[in-house]
Amino acid sequence: MKRRSVVIGLTAAAAAMPAVGFASSARAASGAATGTAADADASLVFDPAAYTEQTTEITDTTGTAHEVVYRFYKAITYVAKPVDATYQCLNVSVPVKIDGTAVDASAAPIFLPNAVGGYMPSSVANNTGIGGAAFGGGTSRGQLALAAGYVVVEPGARGRSLVNASGEYYGTAPAAIVDLKAAVRYVRFNKGRIPGNVNRIVSSGTSAGGALSTLLGASGDSPLYDSYLEAIGAADASDAIFAVGAWCPITDLEHADMAYEWCYGSNKLPSGSLVDQTISKELSTAYGDYVATLGLRAKGFGSLTTRNLDEYLVKTILEPSATTYLAALSDADRATYLAANTSIKWADGKASFTWDEFLTHLGARSKNTPAFDAFDLSTPENNLYGTGTTAARHFTLFSLRHESGSSARLDEDLPGKLNLMNPMYHLVENVNRHRAKHWWIRNGATDTATSYSVTGNLHARLKQLGDEVSTKYYWDAGHGADQDPGEFLKWIGEVSGYSKSRGAGTS
Ligand code: DHB
């Protein structure tokens, strides 16, 4: 598939312009702020004057270059009691002029792209202008959002590998989500001081960042995080967000081993060998019980179980993905593709295949078994659930008992922490009314970083809750793919009502 290129270049003129003071006029223009300085630490009051003005050239997804002048607010610590301000800080970019025309971003959506990858720490502290995303070789949804006239808030967050001088891990679960919530609270607390509409905060992220973006949307205003937020001195404000963009979210971690075997159990590793089929089948069978507990239903499928989840994925997401891809090819190219990919059928303008044919088309799985809670504690997720001076722990009974015997119990803190990290825990009827209601979910159709059922279940659950959901897979695309960033930006404009209010689409 042809990927749209995004060319971003910071002009030389953008380099380190002096701060320009507009404090009084900016305050006068923005009106009263909702967060009262009296009941919050003064350090959390955003200073509208503390920016540098920068100029950058941003080429949009249609190939048109835009000159964007923006105010850049750098490395603002978003909590009053930071554990590590290198990570617990954010950058704000506010467009003031696009292609020579003045922009008023005071009512614009606020785009919140996190750059988390692998559940590792992510920092924006040293960025000298609006940054790039974690994936995609410099492509940045944030830069596109800026060129579309949105306010962009780039949050850093602690991550799993951070360790202090006493050997204590201080970025393991749930640190990253607590930090992202604190960043949202900071933005809301500074309503009117940071330009933009705090009721239209749109998060985005890829992979682990996609998982955190999903979780941010799913758990908005949940009181379960309060003690953690209090401990770091987060602003006293709502952490609910309006919409979520999530690319290949690596989520539902404590069920991801089971999901992985249900999905790829009989696919070989790149080495050509099968994983331990006894382990694989035990996990796959257990997945059936888990999926049943979700109580998922989908139009045309009734209850979703592991008996029809494959069909659901094929019909709802995978075949449409292949159809889009093949329909865009010339007749000759399509014929060549079909001759080389014999598992995929094409008739009457539609692609078709069974689940098994899809798995054949896919080829090798990328992870051994168990894929996430490895017996040898070697995965990113083992580290994510580390604590204190323990770098990595088991977080499923299956792997723990495989290693430590059938009476072993998970550490006491783990069940609660798993819930704090799992959007599926929060996405339950009548539980979290402040969850995001607009969802953009994307996945590469050859991405084997997690089971397809992870996004499939998420999609089904959100539809069931009545939310507005756009889910698509990019055919034959791998981990971290983003092939329709322009459509995403347009979608933000539409669901937020902002394009309509301005009587125009976004670029
Ligand atoms: C990511 C990838 C993984 O395979 C995983 O297990 C966790 C995170 C990532 O790319 O962020």
Side-chain angles (χ1 to χ4, degrees), residues 116-119 135 206-209 250 253 367 371-372 379-381 449-450 479:
V116 176
Y119 287 104
F135 285 80
T206 302
S207 198
I250 305 292
L253 297 174
K367 295 184 174 179
F372 293 87
T379 68
E381 290 74 17
T450 195
H479 190 58

Side-chain angles (χ1 to χ4, degrees), residues 53-75:
E53 189 168 281
Q54 305 213 1
T55 303
T56 186
E57 189 176 281
I58 297 175
T59 300
D60 70 20
T61 55
T62 68
T64 308
H66 301 280
E67 189 190 71
V68 180
V69 180
Y70 68 105
R71 292 178 180 175
F72 183 64
Y73 300 83
K74 182 173 153 65

